[in-house]
Amino acid sequence: MRFLRSLLLCSGLIAAASSRVLKSRQSTTVSTWVTAEEPLARAALFRNIGSKGEFAKNVDAGAVIASPSTSSPDYFYQWTRDSSMVFKVLLNSYINGNSSLNTLLREFATESDKLQRTSNPSGGYQGAGIGEPKFLVNGTPFTGSWGRPQNDGPAIRATVLIKFANMLLDAGETSYVTSLLYDSLYPSNSVIKNDLEYVANYWQANGFDLWEEVAGQHFFNYMVQQRALVEGAELATRLGDTGAATWYTTQATAIKAALPNFWSSSKGYLLSTLNTGRDGLDCGTLLGALHGNGARGFGIYPASSDEVLVTLQKLVDVMNPLYPINAQSGAPGIAIGRYSSDVYDGVGTSTAHPWFICTFTVAEVLYTAINQFAARGSIIVSSRSLSFYQKFYSSATATTYAAGSTAYANIVTGMKNYADTFIATGQAHAATNGSLSEQFGRSDGLQKGARDLTWSYASFLTTKWARDGATAY
Ligand code: NOJ
Ligand code: NOJ
């Protein structure tokens, strides 16, 4: 009894303390906070890149540590997915004028080549081994049991390196590109072509999802694979590898034709995995809409599509009642986790928490949708998306609203304010020095799991850029 009373007292104190924190943080507007956080996130991201990063000194050049945390949890490894997400951000900064990143991007290409050639538990070079998800920081294989293979990483890596290769070709650096990046040989000795061959040959095989837990066919994977193959076919054409271009295009077309299988008409949202035992609502689906389309779009499930926006809202609706911090007075918005039945607490399995990546990703999808409306000059409301848009403009009907109309302006303002509440939620749980871990406590809001998660910083940066109107990657 006394124990219970002190427990209640104690949790009351925690609640009071964290709502004070929430209030003081809220005095900084989202705009002010994202501006201050950008250089901090950039610096934090660089600390995790080998070999010059402060936390990655004895790490291969061009390797990205997922986090400096070496125990509880041990994230001192390089994951193809995380590294590629991080280098996507660096490539974007390079495009925007930071020429010193050229060396770093080449180091990433060299390290990728080394990892591909390393026989590992998934298999060997020029074959199944390309699907190995995780390596030691010196490039040697991780041999413990793991959810392998994971076939999203090679696709995301290819997307990053294809864009880099095109820039180098524009600059006349053909021999570097054709020796290391894309050689038109089969079997290939080059990084991009090995990734593309892997994706083209293995996309139909079961692989683990981006959360490394379930084997099957995943929306996120299909989206990033389709994009890699379309862009890969264009690079192959540019370099005269016409047979490969045809093969990649055929496979991309097949993936595109299979993507609608993820739409569940009975549930009214996109499933993250086919034939899943879960509810299928997953932050990975939103990541797929972003990373499978980028700035350009491939005509299927962009952020602004009805299917993605209604899935986003359903995910928010299941996350809202799940975490006590969402009901806390002064909470600036709704914290989002990976999926509702998640039990990974960042160290082991108990109850899962919201993630910075997922909370920011909801905002990023909303901002990206707004940017896509602006590029198109209209918002198309259909019966499927009507209830989504009515949240922001109650008199919306299923019609097309042109830019400049009152309805368009109301929807855009409402969506932007809504997106900002997700940023504000991340803001409330970020450290004052800008640090972002993997998760933040469902009840106490405190950072949990791997500290300084490199992908959390990458996710913040692309979200911030989308808020600024850029279609960043
Ligand atoms: C570690 C994985 O990286 C994570 O995604 C997973 O949820 C946990 N193991 C629990 O299986
Ligand atoms: C666990 C996450 O589920 C997975 O997506 C990530 O690759 C690893 N942690 C490393 O950050």
Side-chain angles (χ1 to χ4, degrees):
M1 196 46 196
R2 193 184 297 160
F3 171 74
L4 190 68
R5 208 167 325 127
S6 60
L7 195 73
L8 287 173
L9 189 68
C10 186
S11 60
L13 284 176
I14 290 170
S18 56
S19 55
R20 257 203 308 278
V21 170
L22 288 177
K23 284 217 185 70
S24 67
R25 292 277 173 76
Q26 272 178 292
S27 61
T28 308
T29 64
V30 167
S31 296
T32 306
W33 182 74
V34 293
T35 304
E37 179 68 14
E38 183 171 8
L40 299 175
R42 248 183 226 282
L45 188 141
F46 278 113
R47 283 198 282 272
N48 291 353
I49 299 179
S51 60
K52 298 196 184 59
E54 182 187 333
F55 295 147
K57 290 268 185 256
N58 297 313
V59 165
D60 276 358
V64 178
I65 53 169
S67 151
S69 176
T70 52
S71 68
S72 304
D74 186 358
Y75 272 33
F76 203 75
Y77 291 96
Q78 44 177 332
W79 272 262
T80 305
R81 171 181 40 261
D82 296 49
S83 305
S84 303
M85 291 292 194
V86 167
F87 267 96
K88 200 179 249 198
V89 163
L90 295 179
L91 179 63
N92 186 67
S93 306
Y94 176 52
I95 292 166
N96 288 319
N98 188 344
S99 55
S100 64
L101 295 176
N102 191 313
T103 307
L104 214 50
L105 282 154
R106 286 173 197 243
E107 288 172 352
F108 174 59
T110 301
E111 178 69 4
S112 299
D113 182 60
K114 175 175 168 181
L115 299 186
Q116 285 186 342
R117 291 171 194 272
T118 305
S119 288
N120 59 64
S122 292
Y125 188 47
Q126 300 167 329
I130 305 291
E132 179 70 3
K134 159 179 168 182
F135 290 84
L136 271 58
V137 301
N138 64 3
T140 56
F142 169 74
T143 52
S145 72
W146 206 250
R148 59 168 69 90
Q150 295 176 23
N151 57 30
D152 58 327
I156 308 169
R157 179 167 60 196
T159 290
V160 175
L161 293 176
I162 288 166
K163 199 183 246 181
F164 186 45
N166 277 313
M167 290 173 66
L168 294 172
L169 290 172
D170 292 345
E173 300 214 39
T174 313
S175 64
Y176 173 80
V177 171
T178 56
S179 57
L180 182 67
L181 297 178
Y182 194 99
D183 62 7
S184 300
L185 299 174
Y186 188 80
S188 172
N189 291 310
S190 61
V191 188
I192 296 171
K193 186 157 181 178
N194 271 302
D195 278 340
L196 294 174
E197 289 298 328
Y198 177 77
V199 171
N201 283 291
Y202 289 87
W203 68 269
Q204 300 188 68
N206 280 352
F208 278 77
D209 69 315
L210 81 165
W211 310 133
E212 319 191 280
E213 296 176 331
V214 289
Q217 308 282 307
H218 315 287
F219 180 84
F220 175 79
N221 297 36
Y222 276 33
M223 288 294 287
V224 295
Q225 288 166 338
Q226 186 213 200
R227 176 181 179 180
L229 291 172
V230 172
E231 294 178 342
E234 289 168 356
L235 180 65
T237 303
R238 182 171 185 180
L239 293 170
D241 195 8
T242 51
T246 306
W247 163 238
Y248 302 151
T249 303
T250 308
Q251 296 310 309
T253 307
I255 297 174
K256 188 171 185 177
L259 270 163
N261 296 334
F262 290 88
W263 175 258
S264 164
S265 45
S266 59
K267 292 180 167 170
Y269 55 79
L270 287 164
L271 300 170
S272 54
T273 298
L274 296 180
N275 308 313
T276 174
R278 298 178 182 166
D279 68 10
L281 278 171
D282 194 302
C283 148
T285 303
L286 302 183
L287 285 163
L290 293 171
H291 294 278
N293 276 298
R296 175 175 155 186
F298 298 94
I300 191 155
Y301 305 134
S304 55
S305 64
D306 288 353
E307 293 89 345
V308 171
L309 292 173
V310 300
T311 302
L312 175 148
Q313 190 53 46
K314 292 250 161 82
L315 179 69
V316 173
D317 292 344
V318 302
M319 291 294 167
N320 191 10
L322 200 60
Y323 305 129
I325 48 168
N326 289 337
Q328 194 183 39
S329 103
I334 299 164
I336 307 293
R338 298 191 296 183
Y339 57 93
S340 64
S341 55
D342 196 359
V343 293
Y344 177 54
D345 60 21
V347 180
T349 51
S350 61
T351 43
H353 303 287
W355 281 46
F356 283 106
I357 294 170
C358 296
T359 306
F360 290 142
T361 294
V362 170
E364 186 172 357
V365 169
L366 293 165
Y367 298 132
T368 303
I370 293 168
N371 298 338
Q372 290 169 355
F373 301 153
R376 188 173 59 203
S378 65
I379 297 172
I380 304 166
V381 181
S382 73
S383 56
R384 192 176 272 171
S385 53
L386 185 59
S387 62
F388 174 81
Y389 288 110
Q390 282 176 339
K391 273 172 64 79
F392 311 110
Y393 182 59
S394 56
S395 40
T397 57
T399 186
T400 297
Y401 295 113
S405 65
T406 307
Y408 182 101
N410 276 288
I411 292 171
V412 165
T413 305
M415 280 175 67
K416 180 159 191 308
N417 290 338
Y418 187 46
D420 278 356
T421 65
F422 295 95
I423 301 242
T425 302
Q427 171 184 352
H429 306 289
T432 25
N433 70 358
S435 298
L436 303 172
S437 57
E438 181 183 76
Q439 315 187 10
F440 48 94
R442 52 161 58 212
S443 300
D444 62 17
L446 300 174
Q447 300 206 8
K448 308 267 187 238
R451 73 178 172 103
D452 291 297
L453 188 82
T454 327
W455 186 5
S456 291
Y457 296 118
S459 161
F460 165 79
L461 289 167
T462 52
T463 303
K464 200 258 175 195
W465 296 335
R467 186 175 188 271
D468 292 342
T471 23
Y473 45 85

